[in-house]
Amino acid sequence: MPNIVPRIAVDAMGGDYGLSVIVPAAVNAAKTGLPITLVGDEHMIRSELEKLDTGSCAIDIVHASQVVTMEDKPADAMRRKKDSSIQVACRLVKEGKADGVVSAGNSGATVACGMFTIGRIKGVLRPGMAGILPTEKKPMVLLDVGANVDSKPEHLFQFGLMADVLARDVLGYESPRIGLLTIGEEEGKGNSLVKTTFDMLKNSSLNFVGNIEGRDIFTGDVDVAVCDGFVGNVALKLAEGLATSFGSLLKGELKRDIVSKLGAMLAMKAFKRFSRLLDKSEYGGAPVLGLKGIVLVCHGKADSRAVERAIEMAATFVKNDAVSHLKEGLAAHKEITERDF
């Protein structure tokens, strides 16, 4: 791919905090040299931009008259809200007017728009949504984290293939170690879905290291954990909740007495470094793998920093030609991609 500067289309109307978070994040990303297209109500977007110092940022606006809410079902949003900000943003990618999409809106609708507007890579059975989590050693990929709650072994196998590309292209791992998330480390542990997937991964060219349990996710001993969307979403939300609760509990203990407060002051730098490790805004969003274009889904409660990081990650995907690498990885396993299921 030529050395281009990617243009990222940002769904300005998504997220719990709306334009007040999305627009400043887009402006900050644009200040690094990324061209940005903000998609949504043009009048509202311009009103937010007037509050900010945009300087010479390359920011365009594409008007969209509708908004997909968190209550909208994905199928209904596709049929009834064809001029929604997320559908318009995905059409920009399909038409070659943008190179990637970032949205903090309805994740189901975002995945659906990616599938039916941008389209799936040939051979991809189901796109998967990937989470990037901190560990004791370095970040790892958890796939799927919610796009598919009912999966077949072939789907999980493809998740492994696609997560392998993500770990290589974005995280920079030469030979990602892939584990299958289940209820025991021994071969044969798990339900029929896991057992069949185990055999497929074991006989593949991937660096498959076997079964892992939930406790193994954060040790840093694997670079990819493969699971269906139901298990992955529970694991992701558990991790987010634990990090938040742990921080609150620690803060309460450190304020308990004068000795604790003094110790906290002395260790403040260490606490700040630790906080950054647990910060879910570090990678910003969950990339939807398996599409013909780049789509990143942010948490609905994402702050400006998280959205900005998601935009940067989308640009990294484009620069590294991740879609082409996904196609190459899938092409090497035609026994899966060319079967009818």
Side-chain angles (χ1 to χ4, degrees):
M1 171 175 279
N3 186 23
I4 63 169
V5 179
R7 174 171 289 277
I8 307 301
V10 179
D11 175 7
M13 314 306 289
D16 292 1
Y17 307 120
L19 289 94
S20 64
V21 161
I22 306 297
V23 174
V27 170
N28 287 338
K31 286 179 178 179
T32 68
L34 285 177
I36 301 293
T37 297
L38 286 165
V39 184
D41 185 293
E42 183 173 3
H43 175 72
M44 295 175 68
I45 293 172
R46 290 195 183 280
S47 294
E48 286 296 323
L49 287 173
E50 288 173 1
K51 304 174 186 178
L52 304 168
D53 176 18
T54 58
S56 58
C57 294
I59 300 176
D60 292 339
I61 300 173
V62 172
H63 180 69
S65 61
Q66 296 174 303
V67 177
V68 175
T69 69
M70 299 305 288
E71 290 73 33
D72 286 330
K73 294 181 179 179
D76 292 340
M78 290 294 298
R79 288 195 303 268
R80 300 175 184 173
K81 295 187 174 181
K82 297 186 181 299
D83 198 45
S84 66
S85 52
I86 183 57
Q87 282 217 55
V88 172
C90 286
R91 279 202 293 272
L92 292 175
V93 173
K94 182 180 181 180
E95 295 167 0
K97 297 176 182 177
D99 301 296
V101 174
V102 171
S103 176
N106 184 314
S107 59
T110 302
V111 173
C113 287
M115 285 180 62
F116 298 107
T117 302
I118 298 174
R120 290 176 290 174
I121 294 172
K122 183 180 179 181
V124 169
L125 303 171
R126 290 187 185 179
M129 194 155 54
I132 300 180
L133 306 179
T135 75
E136 295 175 16
K137 299 172 184 175
K138 56 184 180 179
M140 60 87 66
V141 180
L142 179 66
L143 183 69
D144 179 30
V145 295
N148 306 278
V149 296
D150 293 303
S151 300
K152 296 179 180 179
E154 293 79 13
H155 303 147
L156 265 63
F157 179 74
Q158 285 198 351
F159 295 162
L161 290 174
M162 294 190 292
D164 179 75
V165 173
L166 172 60
R168 291 172 186 271
D169 282 9
V170 175
L171 301 181
Y173 303 158
E174 185 176 345
S175 181
R177 299 159 298 172
I178 298 174
L180 181 61
L181 186 58
T182 183
I183 59 172
E185 296 178 352
E186 301 82 7
E187 184 174 348
K189 285 292 184 73
N191 55 22
S192 59
L193 170 64
V194 170
K195 291 176 183 178
T196 304
T197 304
F198 183 99
D199 292 335
M200 297 174 73
L201 290 169
K202 183 179 180 180
N203 295 320
S204 74
S205 59
L206 297 172
N207 184 15
F208 180 55
V209 297
N211 288 336
I212 62 169
E213 298 181 76
R215 66 188 179 192
D216 301 316
I217 291 176
F218 298 101
T219 63
D221 293 331
V222 295
D223 304 308
V224 171
V226 175
C227 58
D228 64 52
F230 184 91
V231 171
N233 192 263
V234 171
L236 180 67
K237 298 297 174 59
L238 175 62
E240 291 177 351
L242 180 62
T244 301
S245 296
F246 181 81
S248 298
L249 289 170
L250 181 60
K251 187 179 295 184
E253 288 298 319
L254 293 175
K255 292 180 178 179
R256 186 175 293 275
D257 52 51
I258 187 64
V259 175
S260 297
K261 290 180 181 179
L262 180 60
M265 291 176 63
L266 294 173
M268 190 59 68
K269 288 185 178 180
F271 287 138
K272 287 182 178 179
R273 290 194 298 269
F274 181 69
S275 178
R276 283 196 294 270
L277 288 174
L278 297 179
D279 188 0
K280 61 178 177 287
S281 72
E282 182 63 24
Y283 290 95
V288 183
L289 304 181
L291 302 176
K292 294 179 180 178
I294 304 302
V295 175
L296 261 80
V297 178
C298 299
H299 196 289
K301 297 184 184 300
D303 59 16
S304 186
R305 172 60 179 164
V307 176
E308 182 184 348
R309 290 292 290 121
I311 295 171
E312 292 170 358
M313 183 189 285
T316 299
F317 263 80
V318 177
K319 291 176 182 176
N320 290 344
D321 204 10
V323 172
S324 293
H325 293 167
L326 282 172
K327 291 177 180 177
E328 292 168 4
L330 292 165
H333 294 273
K334 293 183 178 179
E335 72 278 9
I336 299 298
T337 59
E338 294 185 356
R339 286 168 59 186
D340 294 324
F341 297 103

